Amino acid sequence: MSHAAQIVDDRAASTGSLSGAEEPAGHPHGVRATARIRATYNGRATTLPQLRSDGPFHLRRMRTDGNSAKVGIIGAMSAPLGGDRLTIDVTVEDRALLEVTTAAATLALRGPTAAPATYDVRLTAGEHAGLRWLPRPLISAADSNLRQTCHVELASTARLLLREEQILGRANEDPGHLVSRLLVHRAGRPLLDQQTAYGNPEPGWDGPARLHGHRAVGQLLLVDPKMGTRHDPVLLRTGSRDGCAVLTPLADGRALLATAVAPTSSVLRELLDEALAHALRG
Amino acid sequence: MHLDPPATMPQRHTHSAGPLRADGSRRALRVGLGGPVGSGKTASVAALCRTLRDRWSIAVVTNDIYTREDAEYLLREAVLPPERITAVETGACPHTAIRDDISANLEAVEHLEETLHPLDLVLIESGGDNLTATFSKGLVDVQIFVIDVSSGDDIPRKGGPGITTADLLVVNKTDLAPHVGADLAAMAVDAERQRGDLPVVFTSLTSDDGIREVADWVTAHLSEWRVKAAV
Amino acid sequence: MSRAALLLLADGRFPAGGHAHSGGVEAAVAHGAVHDTESLEAFCLGRLHTTGLTMAGLAAAAAAGHDPLLLDDAADARTPVPALRAVARRLGRQMMRAARATFPSEDLELLAAERPRGAHQPLVLGLAARAAGLTALDAAYATAYENVSGPATAAVRLLSLDPLDASGLLARLSPDMDAVATAAARAADRVTTEGVDALPSASSPLLDIIGEQHAAWTVRLFAS
């Protein structure tokens, strides 16, 4: 098999199966951890009957004003490192409202082995439930190797605000190898399915059709069944060198996606914040 | 998807210029206007629209080199309402879009037919090209080739598919002939030698009703088309 | 099967509207990102492994006989910007016109009836390949090749590049086209057991952004 064929096949295999049915073997030095959050609605407010910290994920209940719940994820150890198998499983049951954040950026490092780490996020939201998944950026450090998936299952009336930011390399270093898939189903049908892959040995990853020198990419997804179905695309900055973004409706309607590329994490956040302001105004 | 087989075979008119629409009604006559850059194609289209729009239901498809320039000229001149003018992008190859791969133009024509039904006449203007550009018979029923006297009175003598085979040759800007030293009589002789019995019209769109002869020619074809389709 | 049918489908002169599209190269040229043969090759490589792989997977799955309506939904989920969805459906309509005339089949008729405004182009190509007796891998090859030959041809026109250099770069990309077509066909094999999520969804956020930007230009040579 050629070099290119090997890469394409590896990439497909690593983030292809999102069913969670088969547990990957992991590496003997790697950490295996699954953190779980379950939010339910008791008729007055959202409660958290399950809050299971595990491995590097320390979960902390946070104070909120209204009847929603908020959980902060605090890194209890450096992760993911090569060979780790990490999962976060979040379920928001019917009518419950939950926001999840992280206290610090997630830093993917090489660790004791060059084997890939996996980091799987599974988000499920029931009827009339609301989930805000707003972690800090994921940083792909030099020589790290991470396969990340984010698999979202939404009931037809569920609301979602999801932000993903990827920073490719710490200051002035090349990124590691980062393959990431975002798959969102609504009412069992695919709403959004995107896989990105950056860093060596991905073919053309920094070329003019992909990063073109940018080191920060991100997305913001807003799903709201009450949203009007008519949205014109919004272009945020039209050059490409200094960062740019678009806010566009997905095919299914009642869902908006902002896509941004930028030279730095701060410009990326500015673009996504601007896009969110547009989305909420619309 | 394995349902019952459809009752009929694929209908030919979905991918060729047959005379009937999918519902069996008569489609519009499609007239192509080609010719070199600057010969007055867009001005001719505008003049035809002004002359014929009261009598017939007309739409226009433009094939600009730079998207929408010609379409926007027509919109500015308000020769037709905006929904009757469509621009097709040609990827820097205007002759390809009217001759070798006509699918984008057919899409545009069919869309106009659907939204403006019933339509009598669709004018399809090619992007300015050289003397070799002609329309595919899958796209138009008849075609007009527009040249002008100021580009040289030897153009009819040089020939080329547009000059020799177009259903109508229009020699435009005759008012400029004295200023550029063009010999109209020689052009007429050369054109006849190249075209045999096919008609040639000399026009000056600066004069009142300068498009009349061309408009009459289009009307004659349109009347013939309607008779044929009614049979 | 007839291998000649594959050549016909993959031929840039197959009258299905592709000549008016640059695959993002016109926007990349305007941004200065593509300016010579080397940068064009890098562009084509990046496009092939993202959009190219995703489209090849859809084409392969359609050629393998999977439900084109489910695949059409999967294609929508893989095309987050409306400008590129509109382009995919417009090219799908144009491909449908050419395919019905060239390789008439019941599957094409049914899809044309279900999606009168056009299905995503790779699905139509896949069904045309199926009608011609070609394999899923063949359909993936045709799509992968078109994904780089289209931008390369457009760049030759936009930058007045030497067409021999463009042919050279397409030849150098052959191993990558092999890899992409093979991976696409393997993924299509898995659709039976895993559903459409098994298909590649490789994407390039930058191509999505510049695709939407390009659609807003008032003056352009290419439709996309």
Side-chain angles (χ1 to χ4, degrees), chain A residues 134-202:
Chain A
L134 300 169
R136 287 177 181 266
L138 171 72
I139 302 169
S140 171
D143 301 320
S144 67
N145 188 357
L146 176 64
R147 312 298 154 97
Q148 185 192 29
T149 65
C150 181
H151 184 181
V152 186
E153 287 289 339
L154 300 175
S156 60
T157 54
R159 281 170 295 139
L160 174 75
L161 176 63
L162 176 148
R163 186 179 60 219
E164 266 200 350
E165 294 164 297
Q166 300 176 337
I167 312 302
L168 301 155
R170 290 168 298 192
N172 302 315
E173 72 173 11
D174 284 336
H177 186 197
L178 175 61
V179 180
S180 180
R181 185 174 183 188
L182 172 61
L183 173 60
V184 184
H185 286 147
R186 175 155 67 185
R189 292 180 49 186
L191 177 70
L192 176 65
D193 190 347
Q194 286 198 296
Q195 188 195 54
T196 55
Y198 302 116
N200 285 322
E202 290 297 332

Side-chain angles (χ1 to χ4, degrees), chain B residues 9-205:
Chain B
M9 276 303 288
Q11 289 160 320
R12 290 292 144 199
H13 62 259
T14 54
H15 47 75
S16 75
L20 296 180
R21 287 158 41 84
D23 64 7
S25 64
R26 171 188 52 80
R27 66 161 174 79
L29 178 73
R30 298 172 186 170
V31 178
L33 286 100
V37 176
S39 61
K41 290 185 300 297
T42 309
S44 299
V45 167
L48 281 172
C49 290
R50 286 193 201 98
T51 310
L52 300 173
R53 66 190 172 194
D54 293 336
R55 184 167 171 204
W56 309 108
S57 171
I58 306 177
V60 173
V61 177
T62 63
N63 283 256
D64 303 288
I65 300 181
Y66 270 105
T67 305
R68 302 205 61 83
E69 294 254 309
D70 290 345
E72 264 152 32
Y73 170 86
L74 296 172
L75 288 170
R76 235 178 6 253
E77 295 286 302
V79 296
L80 289 177
E83 68 274 14
R84 291 180 175 264
I85 302 170
T86 298
V88 167
E89 290 106 338
T90 60
C93 281
H95 56 272
T96 304
I98 61 164
R99 186 184 61 200
D100 309 300
D101 182 350
I102 57 175
S103 55
N105 268 296
L106 283 175
E107 286 284 314
V109 170
E110 287 172 7
H111 180 74
L112 290 166
E113 292 248 23
E114 260 168 49
T115 53
L116 301 169
H117 185 71
L119 207 51
D120 298 307
L121 175 65
V122 180
L123 301 174
I124 302 163
E125 182 194 343
S126 79
D129 210 308
N130 54 39
L131 296 172
T132 64
T134 51
F135 285 85
S136 160
K137 290 189 171 101
L139 178 60
V140 301
D141 302 302
V142 286
Q143 51 191 304
I144 301 172
F145 201 75
V146 183
I147 59 173
D148 77 291
V149 302
S150 64
S151 309
D153 59 8
D154 56 347
I155 287 182
R157 185 166 50 77
K158 287 181 182 164
I163 303 278
T164 55
T165 66
D167 299 289
L168 177 68
L169 178 67
V170 172
V171 183
N172 191 22
K173 306 189 189 175
T174 52
D175 50 309
L176 295 181
H179 306 291
V180 296
D183 183 342
L184 294 179
M187 288 181 93
V189 170
D190 288 338
E192 192 183 331
R193 190 175 302 131
Q194 294 281 2
R195 295 172 52 78
D197 291 339
L198 290 169
V200 182
V201 169
F202 287 79
T203 58
S204 164
L205 298 182

Side-chain angles (χ1 to χ4, degrees), chain A residues 1-254:
Chain A
M1 190 188 279
S2 77
H3 178 64
Q6 185 73 55
I7 292 161
V8 174
D9 253 26
D10 281 359
R11 203 169 56 196
S14 62
T15 61
S17 174
L18 294 165
S19 61
E22 67 224 78
E23 281 289 321
H27 189 273
H29 302 295
V31 173
R32 299 175 60 126
T34 300
R36 293 184 196 280
I37 304 171
R38 189 160 63 88
T40 59
Y41 180 67
N42 65 6
R44 291 188 316 280
T46 299
T47 60
L48 297 167
Q50 185 177 39
L51 208 56
R52 178 176 182 261
S53 300
D54 192 16
F57 305 120
H58 179 75
L59 306 181
R60 179 183 286 175
R61 199 180 306 254
M62 296 167 80
R63 195 186 301 278
T64 60
D65 308 329
N67 54 4
S68 65
K70 187 170 175 179
V71 173
I73 301 175
I74 295 158
M77 61 173 87
S78 181
L81 306 181
D84 287 356
R85 295 284 176 269
L86 309 178
T87 303
I88 296 182
D89 200 324
V90 179
T91 301
V92 187
E93 296 187 347
D94 293 356
R95 297 188 183 278
L97 303 174
L98 177 68
E99 174 171 338
V100 183
T101 59
T102 56
T106 301
L107 182 62
L109 292 165
R110 183 183 185 278
T113 159
T118 64
Y119 180 16
D120 298 315
V121 174
R122 298 176 197 150
L123 308 176
T124 307
E127 299 295 346
H128 304 286
L131 172 61
R132 293 158 64 89
W133 174 257
L134 300 169
R136 287 177 181 266
L138 171 72
I139 302 169
S140 171
D143 301 320
S144 67
N145 188 357
L146 176 64
R147 312 298 154 97
Q148 185 192 29
T149 65
C150 181
H151 184 181
V152 186
E153 287 289 339
L154 300 175
S156 60
T157 54
R159 281 170 295 139
L160 174 75
L161 176 63
L162 176 148
R163 186 179 60 219
E164 266 200 350
E165 294 164 297
Q166 300 176 337
I167 312 302
L168 301 155
R170 290 168 298 192
N172 302 315
E173 72 173 11
D174 284 336
H177 186 197
L178 175 61
V179 180
S180 180
R181 185 174 183 188
L182 172 61
L183 173 60
V184 184
H185 286 147
R186 175 155 67 185
R189 292 180 49 186
L191 177 70
L192 176 65
D193 190 347
Q194 286 198 296
Q195 188 195 54
T196 55
Y198 302 116
N200 285 322
E202 290 297 332
W205 67 271
D206 199 20
R210 295 179 78 175
L211 282 181
H212 194 218
H214 291 297
R215 286 294 175 267
V217 288
Q219 294 186 312
L220 188 109
L221 173 64
L222 181 66
V223 181
D224 186 348
K226 293 203 186 88
M227 184 188 290
T229 50
R230 179 84 206 135
H231 285 273
D232 290 326
V234 180
L235 303 174
L236 302 171
R237 303 185 200 175
T238 48
S240 84
R241 263 275 160 244
D242 306 324
C244 51
V246 292
L247 175 69
T248 55
L250 296 182
D252 179 314
R254 299 166 300 143

